[in-house]
Amino acid sequence: MSHVAQSKGRAGFITGFLFAPLALYLTFVIWPYVQTFGYSFTNWTGQSPTFDFVGLDNYATLLNDEVFRGALWHNLLLLVFVPVITILLALFFAFMVNAGGRSGAGGVRGVGGSRFYKVVYFFPQVLSLAILAVLFGAIYRSDEGGLLNGFLVKVGLISPQHPVEWLNEPNFVLWCLLFVVVWHGVGFYLVLFSAAMQSVPRDIYEAALLDGAGRAQTFFKVTLPLLWDSVQTSAVYLGIAAMDMFVLVSTMTSGQFGGGPDHHSEVMATVLMRNFLYFGKSGYACAMGVVMLVLTMILSVITLRATRRERIEF
Amino acid sequence: MTTVIKAPGEAAAERPGKTGRPGEGDKRRSEGVVLNVFSHGFLALWAIMIVLPLIWLALGAFKTDAQIGGSALSWPANWHFDAFGRAWDKGIGGYFANTFIVLVFSVPLTMLFGSMAAYVLARYPFKGNRVVYYFFVSGAMFPVFLALVPLFFMVKRFDMLNTYQGLILVYVAYSMPFTVFFMHSFFRTLPTAIHEAAVIDGASDTRIFFQVMLPMAKPGLISVGIFNVLGQWNQYILPAVLMQPQTSGEPERYMLTQGLVQLQYQMGYETDLPVLFAGATIAIIPMLAVYLSFQRQIQAGLTSATLK
């Protein structure tokens, strides 16, 4: 086999294998991403074939757009609370499931039924967001027919005449949505942290136990530092999810593409979609997309830097 | 369960110590008991919070519309499956079929194209290899919203709005970053010796890929496959933008997720909420069945897919 012939065949093989995947990817992913930057400097409506270059006008308008600024604020709130609450709950449950069932000197093991908990908690993860929207839309119903109101009436916390309008209450709506995200995510991160905990050698725990560490100490001094990599990854993933929120807000709250009542649950993605599909301001919507990208990148970098610790090898 | 659990009252009577030191076995034991009761309580509470709403939703399909609007805690009065039948007729059946048709093509294509690209990038050094690799992987970092507007017009230009093939190609393209990323790291771990042996036996590169490498990469393929099936089955934003009838005569080709949201609006007007509850239950049951049968693989697949 001559060397030349071999490398010639190789080149053909490499090109052949890369061609279709690359072509698809460039056409439907990369090129639209690039175009977004271009369109964001135009007054394109999406309908007309012609449009003008308007420079940074769209970005200037964005700065003064009250609705968009409110949406940005909501995204930032979610960005702090979604990862923190989800990760804390998941860590707590994961620790209980994996190392919680320890009585005095009995070694390290999970609580009874830990297998069962892992199966049940994880299930919401395979449900689509559309199912969550229908389910929680029914739970948060504004009359006694909603599960939450029905329960609160039953235990006597609220009167049947004045049930809480969860999703129409400006002060509650964002927190109601936040709960859905947490409900959906905790099981997944529980399993993720469990996998990480199980890869920690048993003798590390046993050594801590022999040294007389209590459960809290074991958790903070041993488990958490060893899990830090997974916690960091989770924070980034949850942060990206909190920047999105489109499906839940657009399907569960009032208004065209959601965001109600009176923009109190507005997030950037819903403002973007409304401007694009409803107001026909495609150029403006593209500028919002660029802002979302820039923010996501900044936040990922900040999360990774802020949570950076020395990596522990074991 | 080997843990000794005392009654809550008995446990609370003992003073729970914050930290146990050697020689304070009793104190530590009581801490353990209190914590056990405490943690079991929370674990059970969260489990109830997951299961109860889902059961309540399914029961809603057996209630009357008036009952659903009345009290949430009422017991179903109508133990018939007619709401399920109506939900199926209202389009759930069709949405199921649409999602199924798209996934039958998009998932295998995703796996094939993703593996092909990942394999070449992982095992064949050539000029620009790293550039192409980062090109593929970088797509995972961008929010999909960024591309939505131009993507819509790109698909429109190909005349593929509201078509299965359009959505299939878009799904494959958007699943590429993750699939390439994951399979790339997988192919790198496969031993070179087997590849060399196959070359000596005179197998072509293409043949080595399909007959040697792909079968060896099966565990990786299963992990990414699960990830892609769930991701594409649950996708909402891409079909919401790309699968709307463009002219009044065009048939609806809604995906299941889209159809469910559609049903939610529709049933709000028609005041037939049992149909909505039945529709949601129909959409949950296959996921529940698949999940319970493959939960080990799904949990392992999704966690390894995220951690890699």
Side-chain angles (χ1 to χ4, degrees):
Chain A
M1 191 179 350
S2 87
H3 187 72
V4 178
Q6 190 194 356
S7 68
K8 245 188 189 166
R10 279 279 154 84
F13 168 74
I14 292 169
T15 324
F17 261 40
L18 280 180
F19 181 75
L22 206 53
L24 260 184
Y25 183 64
L26 283 172
T27 313
F28 291 113
V29 183
I30 295 295
W31 184 231
Y33 278 137
V34 175
Q35 279 182 305
T36 298
F37 286 92
Y39 287 142
S40 75
F41 299 112
T42 68
N43 63 1
W44 189 37
T45 59
Q47 312 299 324
S48 60
T50 58
F51 45 82
D52 302 316
F53 180 78
V54 294
L56 292 170
D57 277 12
N58 285 328
Y59 292 93
T61 318
L62 261 186
L63 281 180
N64 295 313
D65 188 332
E66 290 280 336
V67 175
F68 186 75
R69 282 207 310 223
L72 177 63
W73 172 240
H74 295 147
N75 272 125
L76 291 177
L77 275 180
L78 291 167
L79 194 81
V80 173
F81 285 102
V82 168
V84 169
I85 297 174
T86 312
I87 289 176
L88 284 180
L89 276 174
L91 273 176
F92 172 72
F93 289 137
F95 188 63
M96 285 306 159
V97 162
N98 287 291
R102 178 178 104 193
S103 64
V108 185
R109 72 180 82 82
V111 297
S114 59
R115 185 73 223 146
F116 165 80
Y117 287 126
K118 273 199 226 172
V119 173
V120 171
Y121 285 19
F122 193 88
F123 180 59
Q125 198 62 38
V126 301
L127 297 177
S128 67
L129 290 171
I131 291 176
L132 292 197
V134 171
L135 174 63
F136 279 89
I139 288 173
Y140 289 136
R141 265 178 76 112
S142 55
D143 55 25
E144 215 188 316
L147 185 59
L148 193 52
N149 276 330
F151 177 74
L152 290 176
V153 166
K154 189 82 179 173
V155 297
L157 279 175
I158 54 173
S159 93
Q161 277 74 46
H162 304 285
V164 186
E165 298 205 24
W166 298 103
L167 294 172
N168 290 318
E169 189 69 55
N171 295 326
F172 291 159
V173 61
L174 208 58
W175 305 107
C176 290
L177 295 168
L178 178 111
F179 179 77
V180 182
V181 183
V182 173
W183 187 86
H184 179 241
V186 163
F188 176 76
Y189 292 97
L190 156 76
V191 171
L192 192 78
F193 294 147
S194 293
M197 281 180 193
Q198 270 152 18
S199 69
V200 175
R202 233 105 251 252
D203 24 324
I204 295 188
Y205 281 119
E206 268 148 28
L209 191 69
L210 281 178
D211 288 345
R215 251 194 275 220
Q217 267 186 320
T218 314
F219 178 76
F220 285 108
K221 298 259 167 72
V222 181
T223 312
L224 194 57
L226 290 173
L227 284 187
W228 201 253
D229 268 2
S230 328
V231 173
Q232 201 182 27
T233 319
S234 311
V236 174
Y237 274 103
L238 284 161
I240 291 172
M243 289 296 276
D244 181 335
M245 295 291 291
F246 174 76
V247 181
L248 290 181
V249 176
S250 72
T251 51
M252 286 174 66
T253 63
S254 56
Q256 193 70 33
F257 292 105
D262 197 23
H263 302 303
H264 276 91
S265 65
E266 205 77 75
V267 289
M268 289 188 286
T270 55
V271 185
L272 187 158
M273 286 294 268
R274 192 179 310 124
N275 276 284
F276 167 41
L277 288 175
Y278 195 61
F279 296 145
K281 295 183 187 168
S282 295
Y284 191 44
C286 285
M288 290 182 193
V290 173
V291 172
M292 280 180 75
L293 170 74
V294 172
L295 286 173
T296 310
M297 304 272 261
I298 292 175
L299 290 161
S300 303
V301 172
I302 290 178
T303 314
L304 289 176
R305 293 232 154 187
T307 58
R308 187 154 64 187
R309 297 280 153 92
E310 218 161 298
R311 201 193 166 104
I312 300 163
E313 303 284 345
F314 53 83
Chain B
M1 196 169 62
T2 41
T3 317
V4 185
I5 295 197
K6 298 178 186 174
E10 194 187 343
E14 293 175 67
R15 196 165 57 87
K18 277 273 179 241
T19 52
R21 287 193 193 84
E24 288 181 314
D26 279 356
K27 209 170 165 188
R28 187 140 31 98
R29 189 175 298 264
S30 75
E31 176 201 31
V33 173
V34 172
L35 258 173
N36 271 332
V37 173
F38 176 76
S39 64
H40 264 294
F42 274 105
L43 283 169
L45 181 71
W46 193 263
I48 290 169
M49 276 166 65
I50 302 272
V51 176
L52 199 68
L54 293 167
I55 293 173
W56 175 75
L57 185 83
L59 286 177
F62 298 101
K63 294 180 185 174
T64 61
D65 197 68
Q67 247 191 320
I68 289 175
S71 171
L73 305 180
S74 57
W75 196 245
N78 159 38
W79 285 108
H80 297 294
F81 286 91
D82 50 332
F84 290 90
R86 270 178 289 150
W88 193 261
D89 293 337
K90 283 279 177 201
I92 289 289
Y95 305 145
F96 243 109
N98 290 338
T99 309
F100 193 74
I101 292 169
V102 169
L103 257 70
V104 161
F105 291 97
S106 65
V107 172
L109 262 182
T110 304
M111 303 306 292
L112 178 68
F113 284 174
S115 308
M116 276 162 57
Y119 175 69
V120 168
L121 291 171
R123 302 195 71 107
Y124 292 81
F126 59 91
K127 223 178 160 194
N129 181 312
R130 297 309 281 169
V131 178
V132 177
Y133 173 70
Y134 282 119
F135 218 54
F136 267 119
V137 172
S138 62
M141 289 179 56
F142 304 144
V144 79
F145 291 96
L146 182 64
L148 278 185
V149 180
L151 177 67
F152 175 84
F153 291 101
M154 180 66 80
V155 176
K156 189 177 181 177
R157 206 167 303 153
F158 288 123
D159 220 8
M160 290 201 290
L161 285 173
N162 201 30
T163 63
Y164 296 127
Q165 63 272 32
L167 196 64
I168 290 166
L169 293 180
V170 170
Y171 274 5
V172 174
Y174 279 84
S175 309
M176 213 43 69
F178 194 77
T179 313
V180 170
F181 177 58
F182 190 92
M183 290 313 295
H184 184 267
S185 62
F186 205 89
F187 281 125
R188 283 184 82 94
T189 63
L190 296 183
T192 339
I194 295 175
H195 188 255
E196 278 161 6
V199 171
I200 291 166
D201 285 347
S204 71
D205 289 298
T206 317
R207 203 169 148 171
I208 294 173
F209 173 72
F210 283 107
Q211 294 196 336
V212 180
M213 290 301 175
L214 221 44
M216 273 168 63
K218 209 170 149 196
L221 287 172
I222 291 172
S223 288
V224 191
I226 289 169
F227 193 87
N228 282 324
V229 168
L230 286 176
Q232 294 181 7
W233 181 272
N234 291 336
Q235 180 58 251
Y236 175 78
I237 296 147
L238 289 173
V241 172
L242 301 175
M243 297 300 271
Q244 301 284 349
Q246 298 301 306
T247 52
S248 52
E250 237 184 333
E252 283 177 359
R253 295 198 182 91
Y254 290 148
M255 297 295 110
L256 188 57
T257 47
Q258 245 181 316
L260 210 56
V261 170
Q262 184 70 18
L263 197 67
Q264 191 174 23
Y265 288 124
Q266 214 181 329
M267 291 307 107
Y269 284 120
E270 292 178 22
T271 59
D272 193 356
L273 285 166
V275 165
L276 176 65
F277 284 50
T281 308
I282 296 177
I284 290 173
I285 286 171
M287 297 317 285
L288 183 65
V290 169
Y291 174 62
L292 288 180
S293 335
F294 300 103
Q295 40 98 1
R296 260 169 212 279
Q297 290 91 322
I298 289 176
Q299 289 192 355
L302 282 189
T303 32
S304 68
T306 314
L307 279 181
K308 275 274 158 94

